[in-house]
Amino acid sequence: MAEKNIQIKIGKGSGTESPIEVPWNGIRIGEECSGAEIMMRALYQENVKTIFGYPGGAIMPVFDALYTYTQKKDPWFDFVLVRHEQAAAHSAEGYARVSGNVGVAIVTSGPGATNTLTGVADAMMDSTPIVVVAGQVGVAALGTDAFQEVDLVGVAQPISKWSYQIRRPEDVAWAVSRAFYIARSGRPGPVVLDFTRSAQTGKCKWEPSKVDFVRSYHPYPKLNLDAVRAAADIINNAKKPLALVGQGVELGGAQEELKAFLEKGNIPAGRTLLGLSALPTDHPLDIGMLGMHGNYAPNVKEQECDVLIAIGMRFSDRVTGRLDTYAKQAKIIHLDIDPTEIDKNVKTDVAILADCKESLPALTELIQSHDHSEWIESFKPLQQKEIDQVIEPSIHPSDGPLLMGEVVNAVAEATHGEAILVNDVGENQMFSARYFKYRRNRSIVTSGGAGTMGFGLPAAIGATFGAPDRTVCMFSGDGGFQMSIQELGTIMEQHAPVKMIILNNNYLGNVRQWQDLMYNHRRSFTRMLNPRYEDIARGYNIPYDVVIDRKDLKTKIEAMLHTDGPYLLEAAVKEDENIQPMTPPGKSIDEMQLHLDI
């Protein structure tokens, strides 16, 4: 059979996209090959360039096929060998979050597969498109409790957009195309493919597949113009409108559309943790971060506004506080692509179901230009109160040990808002999210919904592959860092240029803070006996320094940023520093306390 170039359509499956040619370097359509070989071709067809993973017995045929396409003069893939399968999933998440592409992880069966499930659950909570390909025992051995067999589809189904077991080589191309379509379309999320060994080794004639439609799956709701008009009418009559901006703006690539909407309506906007870089930090309508440890002004003003416009966010408990008291005075407009989010937590007056890339311009066209200067000015006394009582003492202390906010602010200033922030979970996460600066889109990678300790280090590795032209700064506490410390081996091997900053307070700081607040200072197993990070860094051949005195902070940060490749900077910070302000659990969002009474 003559060689062919394959015509493939890319996009959202509307059928209107122009076909593109994918060169196949001499590979013939219709030739007989193994399921493992077809897997490689299918991934290449999906424009996969980087794969994270870890080999094992049940996935060896795939790794053998992978070897061919990583050893070519012009290799199809970069493969990143992580040191733990959970890190493969988190690295795929980091890659996806900064690049906007689907992240890919390949692992073996049994514990190899189950180790990725924390990352799968994390990706599901945070709408991150990844595809995990896991080995499985052969079809004949299914259900026999064979070595390293686990019911992966059954386990993964509740925490993924789709999970599927591939039993025949004839189904590989279709399953991969379907997986990528589901992962990236609509509200993105993770997909798990359980790849039996018999399907990997079995042979069939290869035919490429392109799925752009799944029956009963409607990822892009049709925009209801009546709802847009109703929302515009409410906004045009508002005296105190407030926008809540979530990650949906980033996922939809609608950052410019957001700015056009806010600027025409002169509407102040708060941002969720995952939506922090959807609007530049220095934008005049940005009024800060929402939620339990967000900024004081937007949280108080949520209980005063007359119209609340939620854009691509899910009204999580960390944003709303007590639901029975949340924004009861306001009319609620909710823009989202996922119908399951509408009225799930907060009852809406108008819901606009669509991709915000489509809904925001439609709404902008109908809203009127307004002068809400008096309303916007009313935020400033609250902002100044927080600056005076919390922010300035946190970033410019006069004496005492280093503070977390001080370290984060110094890194943010040194990177001029151009870097990508990756963080772990805990106090380090809240301090870094609050005090970092964001000028570019897709600039924060964090575990929001799941709150996964150990996320930061592998996610940062993935981010360096997803955005190789940008500086990646990873903040972690001493607890979270040690949960994935083995990934220093991945960094060493790949020379991944992650700038790692450990905010070391010798505690599981966030849990310690809650113990002090709610359990009468009974610090049950939260103090950490930490290793010598200098020795560990030396063992992995990674440059290291420690900063203890604030007079050295700026110089040592500059040295880190000007060192090629990875760098580990340990900051010895105050042991019992609390993240403030805080809305205590069970309180209304406007009951935020600037200073905790602990």
Side-chain angles (χ1 to χ4, degrees), residues 357-388:
K357 185 87 172 174
E358 181 184 11
S359 60
L360 277 171
L363 190 56
T364 303
E365 186 177 348
L366 295 181
I367 65 171
Q368 301 164 0
S369 297
H370 275 281
D371 179 11
H372 291 301
S373 55
E374 184 177 347
W375 166 237
I376 293 171
E377 283 293 316
S378 72
F379 285 77
K380 292 183 178 178
L382 299 174
Q383 291 172 323
Q384 193 61 49
K385 187 175 182 180
E386 183 181 0
I387 289 170
D388 294 341

Side-chain angles (χ1 to χ4, degrees), residues 455-474:
F455 171 89
L457 194 55
I461 294 169
T464 64
F465 284 90
D469 59 328
R470 300 186 64 187
T471 300
V472 176
C473 296
M474 193 283 296

Side-chain angles (χ1 to χ4, degrees), residues 295-357:
N295 293 108
Y296 188 56
N299 285 303
V300 171
K301 290 295 186 176
E302 280 180 88
Q303 301 294 74
E304 187 182 329
C305 68
D306 57 1
V307 175
L308 203 59
I309 309 154
I311 307 170
M313 54 88 72
R314 59 188 178 85
F315 286 114
S316 80
D317 58 305
R318 289 297 175 97
V319 165
T320 64
R322 282 181 57 179
L323 280 172
D324 63 338
T325 61
Y326 180 72
K328 294 301 180 184
Q329 80 293 338
K331 291 186 176 180
I332 309 294
I333 298 169
H334 194 173
L335 283 68
D336 210 285
I337 200 169
D338 185 356
T340 66
E341 290 298 335
I342 304 301
D343 295 336
K344 184 177 78 175
N345 294 327
V346 173
K347 177 67 177 174
T348 60
D349 292 277
V350 177
I352 302 177
L353 272 174
D355 190 327
C356 57
K357 185 87 172 174

Side-chain angles (χ1 to χ4, degrees), residues 78-298:
D78 285 324
F79 181 77
V80 181
L81 177 65
V82 296
R83 299 309 190 256
H84 190 283
E85 292 92 352
Q86 182 175 333
H90 291 325
S91 294
E93 287 186 271
Y95 177 90
R97 294 273 281 275
V98 301
S99 70
N101 299 319
V102 178
V104 178
I106 300 179
V107 298
T108 193
S109 65
T114 57
N115 281 344
T116 67
L117 291 179
T118 295
V120 171
D122 191 280
M124 189 68 176
M125 290 286 281
D126 288 348
S127 305
T128 305
I130 66 171
V131 171
V132 174
V133 180
Q136 181 58 280
V137 300
V139 170
L142 290 172
T144 67
D145 290 333
F147 179 67
Q148 293 191 334
E149 180 192 2
V150 69
D151 179 9
L152 182 59
V153 170
V155 176
Q157 206 162 30
I159 55 171
S160 62
K161 277 190 78 175
W162 185 52
S163 58
Y164 179 76
Q165 186 175 80
I166 305 173
R167 297 189 174 196
R168 306 186 312 151
E170 292 86 351
D171 297 331
V172 175
W174 167 84
V176 171
S177 182
R178 195 177 200 264
F180 275 77
Y181 172 63
I182 291 173
R184 65 163 65 102
S185 60
R187 181 179 180 173
V191 170
V192 175
L193 294 178
D194 191 33
F195 199 4
T196 62
R197 189 178 176 90
S198 48
Q200 295 174 48
T201 58
K203 292 188 176 183
C204 68
K205 289 185 178 181
W206 169 64
E207 294 286 345
S209 177
K210 190 62 179 177
V211 174
D212 59 6
F213 171 79
V214 176
R215 190 177 63 182
S216 78
Y217 173 57
H218 305 290
Y220 299 100
K222 184 178 179 181
L223 182 64
N224 184 331
L225 294 179
D226 288 339
V228 176
R229 284 188 283 269
D233 185 60
I234 292 173
I235 294 169
N236 288 335
N237 287 287
K239 304 298 183 186
K240 299 178 179 181
L242 178 61
L244 311 183
V245 177
Q247 188 193 198
V249 172
E250 296 265 58
L251 296 174
Q255 297 90 347
E256 293 304 313
E257 288 81 358
L258 171 70
K259 284 192 281 188
F261 168 73
L262 297 176
E263 289 165 4
K264 183 178 181 182
N266 197 25
I267 299 169
R271 296 158 298 150
T272 68
L273 174 64
L274 291 170
L276 281 174
S277 62
L279 190 68
T281 306
D282 59 0
H283 193 283
L285 291 172
D286 167 52
I287 42 87
M289 178 173 139
L290 303 163
M292 176 180 282
H293 290 297
N295 293 108
Y296 188 56

Side-chain angles (χ1 to χ4, degrees), residues 515-533:
Q515 287 175 337
D516 287 354
L517 181 65
M518 294 181 284
Y519 293 91
N520 195 30
H521 294 262
R522 290 165 59 85
R523 298 180 177 180
S524 179
F525 303 105
T526 45
R527 184 163 181 82
M528 302 282 289
L529 177 62
N530 287 317
R532 285 174 52 88
Y533 293 111

